[in-house]
Amino acid sequence: MTGLDNIIEEIRQDAIKSCEEIATDTQKKVDDILNNAKAEAAQIVADGNATAEEKASQIEQRGESAQELDRRKRILGAKQGIITSILDEVLEKLVNLPDKEYFELILKLVEKYQTGEAGEIALDEKDIKRIPADFSKRLNEISSGKLVLSNQTRKTYGGFVLIYGGIEENCSFKAMLESRDEQLRDRIRDMLFG
């Protein structure tokens, strides 16, 4: 081999060695990049799973809360329905009391709500048809002659209307129940549901 061949061979060997070193360094960098990418991907998956589990838990909790709220609303609605039906039943029983008991109640209410002024008491047409014979006499006694039975009727569906100089006071059973609606509902609720 000549000197020139030796130099070329040496350059070739150095080039091969440099290529091998570059290839080794490149492979090491590629392996490092791949390992880092795998680690990052694993972390992203882990974070994603944790986030997904947390979100799923939150969604489940909201669903349970919504279900509980809906259950409470339905129970409250059912309780309100029961209370309303009891109040409706009370009104029906008052309106349909036997004549004697009904008009005794009317006279007690007149005694309670009269103002002591001269006036009239107007009844429902249905009540006029079943009025006892001594009602006007007893009304006169209770009011010291200041209240008389009106010739006019009012649609009261139980109870009466007091009329003083053109001013009317609704003393129908329904109006009386409505004026004490919250108190009655609270009392019934306490009795039924503790």
Side-chain angles (χ1 to χ4, degrees):
M1 262 198 192
T2 65
L4 183 60
D5 287 337
N6 283 341
I7 293 173
I8 291 174
E9 184 59 30
E10 199 177 305
I11 291 173
R12 193 175 76 73
Q13 288 298 326
D14 285 343
I16 289 173
K17 189 177 176 186
S18 289
C19 283
E20 286 175 358
E21 287 175 2
I22 290 171
T24 301
D25 283 347
T26 302
Q27 186 60 46
K28 186 178 177 209
K29 286 180 182 176
V30 167
D31 289 343
D32 286 345
I33 290 170
L34 278 173
N35 288 336
N36 287 340
K38 285 180 183 177
E40 284 181 35
Q43 187 61 46
I44 289 170
V45 168
D47 290 347
N49 286 342
T51 301
E53 287 176 15
E54 185 179 328
K55 285 183 180 179
S57 175
Q58 290 172 352
I59 290 169
E60 184 178 346
Q61 288 174 354
R62 283 194 302 260
E64 288 171 359
S65 294
Q67 184 179 13
E68 178 63 17
L69 181 62
D70 184 54
R71 184 185 72 80
R72 286 183 189 165
K73 282 181 180 177
R74 282 188 275 157
I75 289 172
L76 180 62
K79 286 179 178 180
Q80 293 291 9
I82 290 168
I83 292 169
T84 298
S85 70
I86 288 171
L87 289 171
D88 290 345
E89 189 175 329
V90 166
L91 179 60
E92 284 300 312
K93 286 187 179 193
L94 286 172
V95 169
N96 294 309
L97 281 170
D99 293 352
K100 183 176 179 174
E101 292 175 45
Y102 180 85
F103 284 99
E104 285 297 323
L105 177 59
I106 294 289
L107 289 170
K108 285 179 186 176
L109 291 172
V110 167
E111 189 171 19
K112 180 178 179 179
Y113 289 103
Q114 70 175 331
T115 64
E117 298 174 39
E120 299 177 320
I121 175 175
L123 298 172
D124 192 282
E125 192 173 322
K126 176 184 168 191
D127 293 339
I128 293 290
K129 293 176 183 175
R130 64 181 190 148
I131 198 165
D134 67 340
F135 182 77
S136 290
K137 178 184 171 215
R138 294 200 50 213
L139 179 63
N140 188 32
E141 290 169 0
I142 288 172
S143 67
S144 301
K146 295 192 176 180
L147 287 176
V148 294
L149 188 59
S150 176
N151 294 329
Q152 301 175 12
T153 60
R154 297 290 188 276
K155 290 188 184 242
T156 60
Y157 192 68
F160 54 94
V161 174
L162 287 173
I163 306 167
Y164 296 107
I167 297 173
E168 297 187 2
E169 183 178 348
N170 187 351
C171 296
S172 68
F173 295 153
K174 186 172 184 175
M176 286 187 228
L177 289 174
E178 285 175 354
S179 72
R180 298 187 61 214
D181 187 67
E182 285 304 313
Q183 294 169 315
L184 292 170
R185 285 181 180 276
D186 289 345
R187 192 166 178 194
I188 293 169
R189 187 176 10 263
D190 289 345
M191 290 170 59
L192 293 178
F193 310 114

